[in-house]
Amino acid sequence: MDPPERHRPRRADPHRGHRLRSTSRTLTLGRGSCSQRMAVLEAVARAIAVPTRVRGLLVDGVFWYPRFPRLKPLVPERVLLAWPEFLLDGDWVPIAELFGSPDEMSAASGGFTNKGGETLFDAVARTAVDWDGHAAASCDGGPGAVCDLSDHLRLDLGHFTSRDELFARHGQTLCLPARTFAEPVLGRWAAGGRAARPA
């Protein structure tokens, strides 16, 4: 016999991972942090039978300072980033190349300033983002700029079948109190780097 509802353990959301909200909640709200929106993209891809994986990147905490100047005391020395990849036509394609190759994206207008509401999720739709140092340019925010973020990469942890596996193996770099405190700030961004109205 099943225990009463109030005593039944909550079923884990397989797409929740390290985030404070599930992908379904992010979709419902129409906003979320960069990581939450990337997780939604991964979930949608898997829903239409496109396999996904993530590349684990330890990024210098200083990278996040321009976007969150008041949260500097909460930003750890290194932040673990789950960078999604999608299996398309037999090749793993990083999120930064979903909208075009680095050469195609560098010819497009855009750039990534890493300030205000702009997130990496917003940048990949218009800017070539390079974590490996293959680009000859840095992120200057100008048209046609390739955003070379390799100077901020402290350690490449390799590939993982999911962000849940990555965070289970390497932990969360933001402590729970910091994530809880920062969620209202990090999770308020809608597509296009605009603060969304609360639901």
Side-chain angles (χ1 to χ4, degrees):
M1 183 169 181
D2 285 338
E5 185 68 34
R6 64 181 155 69
H7 296 291
R8 199 173 293 158
R10 291 181 72 193
R11 193 170 187 186
D13 179 343
H15 307 295
R16 186 174 181 122
H18 70 287
R19 298 168 309 283
L20 291 176
R21 83 162 72 127
S22 67
T23 54
S24 60
R25 179 75 175 143
T26 300
L27 278 171
T28 300
L29 293 174
R31 65 179 192 266
S33 70
C34 176
S35 183
Q36 290 163 341
R37 290 185 286 154
M38 285 186 197
V40 167
L41 187 58
E42 292 168 59
V44 169
R46 287 189 303 272
I48 59 170
V50 173
T52 66
R53 69 181 184 184
V54 297
R55 181 177 171 195
L57 305 172
L58 275 174
V59 179
D60 188 346
V62 173
F63 172 75
W64 309 105
Y65 288 179
R67 287 198 54 231
F68 308 110
R70 292 185 178 161
L71 297 178
K72 282 182 186 179
L74 299 176
V75 176
E77 187 177 320
R78 295 185 294 180
V79 175
L80 185 54
L81 178 65
W83 196 245
E85 297 184 359
F86 306 84
L87 188 60
L88 302 172
D89 298 326
D91 293 318
W92 285 104
V93 178
I95 189 171
E97 295 178 26
L98 283 181
F99 296 95
S101 71
D103 289 338
E104 293 167 334
M105 295 301 289
S106 65
S109 64
F112 177 58
T113 62
N114 195 29
K115 293 179 183 166
E118 185 180 36
T119 69
L120 284 170
F121 183 85
D122 302 317
V124 297
R126 65 178 190 288
T127 305
V129 176
D130 175 24
W131 289 104
D132 299 308
H134 299 301
S138 64
C139 294
D140 65 4
V146 173
C147 188
D148 180 358
L149 297 177
S150 61
D151 284 347
H152 298 285
L153 182 61
R154 295 297 164 248
L155 184 62
D156 186 335
L157 298 170
H159 292 98
F160 299 83
T161 58
S162 69
R163 62 184 50 241
D164 292 337
E165 179 193 5
L166 169 65
F167 287 98
R169 289 174 86 190
H170 293 281
Q172 173 53 260
T173 52
L174 289 176
C175 65
L176 184 59
R179 286 182 305 192
T180 303
F181 176 74
E183 170 61 18
V185 174
L186 299 176
R188 75 177 194 244
W189 301 108
R194 297 178 315 275
R197 294 178 186 248

